[in-house]
Amino acid sequence: MGCLTSSSKEEDMSIALQSSKKLKIVIVGLEGSGKTSILQYLKNGKFTETQPTIGLNVESIQFKARHYLIFDVGGKVRTLWSHYYENLDGLVFVVDTTDQERIEIVKNEFKKLGSEIKYKIVMLIYLNKIDLPRSSPVELCKDIQQQESDIVMQRCSAKTGEGIWEGIDKMNKLLDHKFQQ
Ligand SMILES: Nc1nc2c(ncn2[C@@H]2O[C@H](COP(=O)(O)OP(=O)(O)O)[C@@H](O)[C@H]2O)c(=O)[nH]1
Ligand SMILES: [Mg+2]
């Protein structure tokens, strides 16, 4: 028969408590990187053609015992991203691995996150579009502020679904650690 120690009971209790509330996640990334496609995949379990996002998409999704409220902020006006950075439980940063032309912009935007988000954050970086032959490896350097944060990376394709659930699972595990502390 299984036996829980008091500390694991407390851990289970704290996970159960925060599972019942919706966790706020924001997806950012350059326009066309695949943010809405990833969100649609998470919502519908399959790829759906997207329209350019004007303003904001918000979806509520459940993964394991956790409820996420995910904000997909249009990539065109990048200064708007920071309006969503308050009280975040996690941030998803999407990179188009086929877009070599804008890779320097991606690197700068990633670094900027470090100075704009002033607290330790759980972050998932999706390296998207790996189904395409021109997909190449991407390296991102952390800003000093980001050294503190918990960051995981996942190669993925919103077209085939490869890596999409693995990414959320990695972020979910980081959140388990965060709420156990
Ligand atoms: N081949 C491929 N195309 C993708 C992938 N993710 C997104 N796309 C396409 O890239 C374009 C932009 O995607 P979208 O999700 O609207 O990007 P957003 O502007 O970041 O929301 C669309 O034509 C998508 O079908 C992917 O993983 N593989
Ligand atoms: Mg979009």
Side-chain angles (χ1 to χ4, degrees):
M1 195 166 53
C3 174
L4 290 172
T5 64
S6 65
S7 70
S8 65
K9 264 186 195 161
E10 278 161 21
E11 279 167 14
D12 284 357
M13 189 81 89
S14 87
I15 289 177
L17 274 177
Q18 51 81 24
S19 296
S20 60
K21 81 161 187 143
K22 281 198 174 158
L23 301 186
K24 183 181 166 193
I25 306 289
V26 169
I27 305 193
V28 296
L30 298 195
E31 202 191 3
S33 56
K35 301 178 295 297
T36 308
S37 304
I38 289 174
L39 186 58
Q40 292 303 317
Y41 200 99
L42 290 169
K43 183 73 186 170
N44 306 320
K46 62 179 175 68
F47 171 75
T48 331
E49 279 298 344
T50 55
Q51 297 295 325
T53 306
I54 299 163
L56 179 75
N57 294 314
V58 187
E59 295 288 358
S60 174
I61 68 149
Q62 190 176 347
F63 181 76
K64 297 193 171 164
R66 226 172 236 126
H67 295 271
Y68 290 108
L69 193 60
I70 308 188
F71 294 79
D72 161 24
V73 186
K76 204 161 192 171
V77 188
R78 295 199 287 272
T79 48
L80 288 181
W81 297 358
S82 59
H83 292 279
Y84 296 89
Y85 293 162
E86 251 173 57
N87 305 319
L88 281 188
D89 293 295
L91 185 118
V92 177
F93 187 76
V94 181
V95 182
D96 177 347
T97 57
T98 68
D99 189 357
Q100 287 306 310
E101 271 178 32
R102 294 192 297 172
I103 196 66
E104 287 310 315
I105 303 176
V106 169
K107 288 180 179 178
N108 279 337
E109 290 298 333
F110 181 69
K111 271 193 163 178
K112 254 206 283 180
L113 290 176
S115 54
E116 287 174 347
I117 302 179
K118 305 280 185 214
Y119 49 94
K120 184 177 167 181
I121 194 162
V122 164
M123 195 191 298
L124 163 63
I125 301 169
Y126 270 129
L127 301 172
N128 192 33
K129 307 199 186 181
I130 58 163
D131 59 292
L132 294 172
R134 57 183 189 279
S135 167
S136 339
V138 173
E139 265 183 35
L140 297 172
C141 294
K142 288 184 193 171
D143 188 79
I144 292 168
Q145 307 247 23
Q146 285 162 351
Q147 306 294 347
E148 282 280 295
S149 291
D150 292 320
I151 304 182
V152 281
M153 278 196 170
Q154 178 63 48
R155 286 160 42 78
C156 74
S157 164
K159 195 100 181 184
T160 64
E162 187 180 350
I164 298 288
W165 296 114
E166 285 89 337
I168 287 294
D169 197 38
K170 284 180 184 175
M171 188 168 77
N172 213 43
K173 286 188 175 123
L174 288 180
L175 287 163
D176 283 346
H177 282 290
K178 180 178 158 181
F179 289 119
Q180 278 166 14
Q181 279 165 8

